[in-house]
Amino acid sequence: MEGVSSLDEPLKKLLGGATAKVMAEHLDLHTVGDLLHHYPRRYEERGKLTALTDLPLDEHVTVVAQVADARILTFNNGRGKRLEVTLTDGSGRLQLVFFGHGVHKPHKELLPGRQAMFAGKVSVFNRKMQLAHPTYQLLDASDADEASEAVDAFAGRLLPIYPACKQLDSWRIAKAVDAVLPSARDAVDPLPASLREGRGFTPLPEALLKVHRPQTRADIEDAKARLKWDEAFVLQVALARRRYADTQLPAAARRRVADGLLDAFDAKLPFTLTEGQEKVSKEIFDDLATEHPMHRLLQGEVGSGKTMVALRAMLAVVDAGGQAAMLAPTEVLAQQHHRSITEMMGELAEGGMLGGSDRGTKVVLLTGSMGAAARRQALLDLVTGEAGIVIGTHALIEDKVRFHDLGLVVVDEQHRFGVEQRDALRSKGKQPPHLLVMTATPIPRTVAMTVFGDLETSVLDQLPAGRSPIASHVVPAKDKPHFLARAWERVAEEVENGHQAYVVCPRIGDDAEEADGRGGKKAKAKKAAPEEDGEKRPPLAVLEIADQLRGGALSGLSVEVLHGRMHPDEKDDVMRRFAAGDVDVLVATTVIEVGVNVPNATAMVIMDADRFGVSQLHQLRGRVGRGSAPGLCLLVSEAHEASPARARLSAVAATLDGFELSRIDLEQRREGDVLGQAQSGVRSSLRMLTVIDDEEVIAAAREEAVAIVAADPELERLPELRTVLAALLDKEREEYLDKG
């Protein structure tokens, strides 16, 4: 099909090496097809100006505005020159600043009354919004040729504003799009004709022309409707095929047995399960009883009792003669799960040991840092079937690990597990084991449909009885330093009342580039744009803050640190002493984000809270208020009051509902972020679809996709759809779909 080839042409053939290099490096655009799918973020109308009042800080923006005044100022005894230009658009004003030799051309061109497009990064200087050294293009150039050229370049009245980068402005991207637009005619249309006509969609080549060079607003709506549908539909077909393939796999049915481990466990529970836990357990038991592998996502609020539900599923599988494995993302977590599960099970976890129950089983821990003897014993218990339950890290997936009969795999914190690991574990069973994935980050329904589309979803939305409310407040450390002093007083008061506190920092300290203690990801202390205080300071560090607190606000209290660079035994020792109440204040990285359970900890102070994402803050906050005393969470930030970062923190402080927060989180992210880098470091294939606003599109696309795959699993009658799927699901995308 020669149609595909023109969209596969490398950009450097059409645009020249330099531009193509910038596009590849900074925008991840490599082929003609990539650029055609790099859609405008919005459209400006010639006569209508952007509201300067709505500019986001620290983002690369393009504005159309009018020069109000321009003046050259000197400094350094006349040796330095600075050009300051004030723009206005009726809604607000914006300062531009040019330095040194760069002042002459703009001084001649940017005269009061002139209108131009400006692109640059928004910063704040002396409490005023400004663009430093922006690039610009005059829209009413005095030279007639220049003016008409500017007008032609932007196709009439609607100016497409593209997602740009510092090295390439929106209007240079628009010129590049002009060069490749003729190739849009060759775009392969993935939609079955009956579906396209039935839903009244514009053909794909026409949609691409309309999205880049619309004549009217209606053109834009037409194009968007079509392009959104394509993205949702192709993704849902991919997921539907994956679900279909999974249902074809065989699995050993693990039916619930009466009077076994599970009944013995339930009988000794000191509380009753919530309705939600009962309902979700039933869904899981029904899945386990079928001869195809279960693929279920269990999502629930922090502290909603997911571990309890997972443990009951594992016990049911052990009763049915199988083994269950639980994978945790870090050693600290694996150890915690092991501790809490053996505590919950009591003598039932001591099968074959003196004093153990005759109905019991062994629960073993397997991590990378275990001693050789303990490891040998654990491996032996697994291969003989002596151990019904194993808890561990990725170490569980290594070749050496053999199971007697692996029936269920429980994965904690899905987004840290790729498809390779899932497959490796799958191959450990005689037949593929059942799979239960737990996530503590509540996910809106449509995201679950898109990111975890190959899993059935169960939701735990009630908190078990006895959980306490958590009050959350933002502490603006820069504007109101006395608020921070008061925050430390509050921590001291909690300790005086017999409770404990966490202090969370973004980095460990001693080193600008370091692992964050969670998956070993490198987190560089980035340098930011120059501001009044010179360079933006690096994020606060555990070691420094702990020293400050010991010597200052919390002197006299027992303050300890916990972070990813510590030896596992050290971490375990600190956690144990904190849990026992011997440590008053624990200063930590996000190591504590998941799974740490200390009911006596009532206060948490999160330093540089604006450096964490919404769901991460919600996770962290879930560590307090786990007992009968109310919790307190203080979000300390130096972010500017009007910044998006502060808006995010206020949203977190305003609600404890994780599903509501995950919606807010998604609404604030940039396109593609949600399913792309946020999840797996691969750029998302979604450019037009916003998972939050397009619920109906996603749900409808899912229905059509399921019907098409059920009727024709190999898509033999739809070769175009197959071609497009193959392009979407190259290796990267395959992984991305699986990692979720």
Side-chain angles (χ1 to χ4, degrees), residues 37 85 96 124 204 235 418 438 541 616 650:
H37 288 292
V85 179
L96 308 181
V124 170
L204 183 59
L235 200 54
M438 301 196 294
Q616 211 176 15
S650 305

Side-chain angles (χ1 to χ4, degrees), residues 5 39 42 100 122 185 205 224 248 281 284 324 326 379 395 448 496 503 540 563 666:
S5 61
Y39 308 130
R42 59 176 205 283
V122 184
R185 289 192 305 271
K224 279 188 169 172
Q248 303 308 298
S281 290
I284 292 171
M326 182 185 234
L379 291 173
E496 243 163 75
V503 177
L540 294 169
H563 57 73
L666 289 181

Side-chain angles (χ1 to χ4, degrees), residues 325-338 365-367 390-396 410-413 416-417:
M326 182 185 234
L327 270 86
T330 63
E331 294 211 350
V332 173
L333 264 177
Q335 287 160 349
Q336 275 155 19
H337 278 313
H338 183 252
L365 175 69
L366 190 61
T367 60
V390 58
I391 295 153
T393 53
H394 293 65
L396 267 184
V410 178
V411 175
D412 184 18
E413 283 296 288
R416 308 191 197 294
F417 276 99

Side-chain angles (χ1 to χ4, degrees), residues 277-545:
Q277 285 174 319
E278 291 279 14
K279 181 178 127 283
V280 169
S281 290
K282 184 181 180 319
E283 292 172 348
I284 292 171
F285 294 142
D286 289 349
D287 278 0
L288 290 173
T290 64
E291 302 198 341
H292 297 292
M294 159 171 87
H295 286 100
R296 193 164 278 284
L297 173 70
L298 171 58
Q299 52 166 330
E301 273 295 5
V302 180
S304 57
K306 291 182 296 294
T307 311
M308 172 63 70
V309 168
L311 175 55
R312 293 182 72 240
M314 298 200 295
L315 295 175
V317 167
V318 174
D319 277 341
Q323 291 168 294
M326 182 185 234
L327 270 86
T330 63
E331 294 211 350
V332 173
L333 264 177
Q335 287 160 349
Q336 275 155 19
H337 278 313
H338 183 252
R339 205 159 43 232
S340 63
I341 283 174
T342 45
E343 276 166 17
M344 282 197 259
M345 285 175 64
E347 77 279 5
L348 295 174
E350 296 162 4
M353 297 186 223
L354 263 155
S357 158
D358 52 353
R359 276 184 293 191
T361 185
K362 256 189 181 179
V363 178
V364 301
L365 175 69
L366 190 61
T367 60
S369 65
M370 275 168 79
R375 187 180 171 80
R376 230 183 349 261
Q377 185 59 52
L379 291 173
L380 190 66
D381 289 340
L382 284 179
V383 76
T384 58
E386 192 83 1
I389 294 177
V390 58
I391 295 153
T393 53
H394 293 65
L396 267 184
I397 309 169
E398 287 172 12
D399 292 345
K400 296 192 238 357
V401 182
R402 291 275 172 272
F403 289 87
H404 176 64
D405 181 11
L406 180 61
L408 169 67
V409 175
V410 178
V411 175
D412 184 18
E413 283 296 288
Q414 154 73 3
H415 50 273
R416 308 191 197 294
F417 276 99
V419 64
E420 310 82 22
Q421 285 107 327
R422 276 207 236 167
D423 285 347
L425 253 180
R426 246 182 210 169
S427 63
K428 298 280 183 196
K430 296 178 178 145
Q431 291 182 311
H434 297 280
L435 177 71
L436 180 66
V437 170
M438 301 196 294
T439 169
T441 312
I443 304 165
R445 186 173 136 265
T446 42
V447 180
M449 257 190 215
T450 312
V451 180
F452 300 111
D454 58 334
L455 303 172
E456 299 299 322
T457 306
S458 296
V459 178
L460 282 174
D461 46 13
Q462 291 165 292
L463 288 189
R467 292 297 303 253
S468 302
I470 305 172
S472 308
H473 305 284
V474 179
V475 178
K478 206 167 189 175
D479 313 342
K480 300 183 175 157
H482 58 286
F483 276 37
L484 183 56
R486 176 72 190 117
W488 299 128
E489 282 169 21
R490 281 292 290 113
V491 169
E493 286 162 17
E494 288 297 313
V495 174
E496 243 163 75
N497 293 330
H499 298 301
Q500 292 156 281
Y502 297 100
V503 177
V504 181
C505 305
R507 49 187 270 274
I508 299 172
D510 279 352
D511 185 0
E513 191 173 315
E514 55 188 29
D516 70 347
R518 295 290 310 279
K521 280 246 171 70
K522 294 287 185 191
K524 276 198 179 128
K526 285 201 201 81
K527 285 195 169 176
E531 286 174 28
E532 303 115 290
D533 53 359
E535 291 290 351
K536 200 168 179 182
R537 63 166 176 74
L540 294 169
V542 167
L543 301 176
E544 292 149 25
I545 293 290

Side-chain angles (χ1 to χ4, degrees), residues 129-382:
M129 298 276 238
Q130 72 164 25
L131 295 184
H133 272 290
T135 50
Y136 62 89
Q137 182 165 12
L138 299 173
L139 292 179
D140 52 357
S142 47
D143 174 352
D145 292 345
E146 231 179 286
S148 71
E149 228 175 86
V151 173
D152 290 346
F154 291 99
R157 289 179 309 119
L158 289 165
L159 307 181
I161 305 292
Y162 287 90
C165 60
K166 186 170 147 201
Q167 296 76 3
L168 206 58
D169 326 300
S170 169
W171 50 87
R172 283 171 56 203
I173 295 172
K175 272 195 167 137
V177 169
D178 283 335
V180 301
L181 212 47
S183 304
R185 289 192 305 271
D186 300 331
V188 176
D189 200 321
L191 295 195
S194 57
L195 194 160
R196 192 180 72 226
E197 286 147 22
R199 290 186 174 266
F201 287 131
T202 305
L204 183 59
E206 195 182 317
L208 289 170
L209 288 170
K210 282 180 167 177
V211 80
H212 289 292
R213 298 295 172 261
Q215 297 301 307
T216 62
R217 290 271 167 198
D219 280 356
I220 299 171
E221 292 317 306
D222 267 5
K224 279 188 169 172
R226 168 65 215 254
L227 297 167
K228 269 182 186 178
W229 177 271
D230 277 19
E231 285 177 10
F233 177 69
V234 171
L235 200 54
Q236 291 302 335
V237 169
L239 292 164
R241 289 184 72 189
R242 169 147 298 165
R243 277 196 307 278
Y244 179 83
D246 285 341
T247 61
Q248 303 308 298
L249 293 170
R254 311 281 176 176
R255 293 185 183 84
R256 191 171 169 178
V257 177
D259 294 327
L261 253 176
L262 179 58
D263 285 351
F265 176 77
D266 283 352
K268 63 191 237 356
L269 276 180
F271 50 82
T272 51
L273 297 171
T274 65
E275 256 173 76
Q277 285 174 319
E278 291 279 14
K279 181 178 127 283
V280 169
S281 290
K282 184 181 180 319
E283 292 172 348
I284 292 171
F285 294 142
D286 289 349
D287 278 0
L288 290 173
T290 64
E291 302 198 341
H292 297 292
M294 159 171 87
H295 286 100
R296 193 164 278 284
L297 173 70
L298 171 58
Q299 52 166 330
E301 273 295 5
V302 180
S304 57
K306 291 182 296 294
T307 311
M308 172 63 70
V309 168
L311 175 55
R312 293 182 72 240
M314 298 200 295
L315 295 175
V317 167
V318 174
D319 277 341
Q323 291 168 294
M326 182 185 234
L327 270 86
T330 63
E331 294 211 350
V332 173
L333 264 177
Q335 287 160 349
Q336 275 155 19
H337 278 313
H338 183 252
R339 205 159 43 232
S340 63
I341 283 174
T342 45
E343 276 166 17
M344 282 197 259
M345 285 175 64
E347 77 279 5
L348 295 174
E350 296 162 4
M353 297 186 223
L354 263 155
S357 158
D358 52 353
R359 276 184 293 191
T361 185
K362 256 189 181 179
V363 178
V364 301
L365 175 69
L366 190 61
T367 60
S369 65
M370 275 168 79
R375 187 180 171 80
R376 230 183 349 261
Q377 185 59 52
L379 291 173
L380 190 66
D381 289 340
L382 284 179

Side-chain angles (χ1 to χ4, degrees), residues 118-130:
F118 300 89
K121 195 170 181 189
V122 184
S123 56
V124 170
F125 183 71
N126 283 344
R127 302 199 168 266
K128 275 193 205 139
M129 298 276 238
Q130 72 164 25

Side-chain angles (χ1 to χ4, degrees), residues 474 614 639-654 664 668:
V474 179
V614 169
H640 195 280
E641 203 169 346
S643 66
R646 270 289 278 281
R648 251 194 349 255
L649 296 182
S650 305
V652 173
I664 291 167
Q668 292 194 337

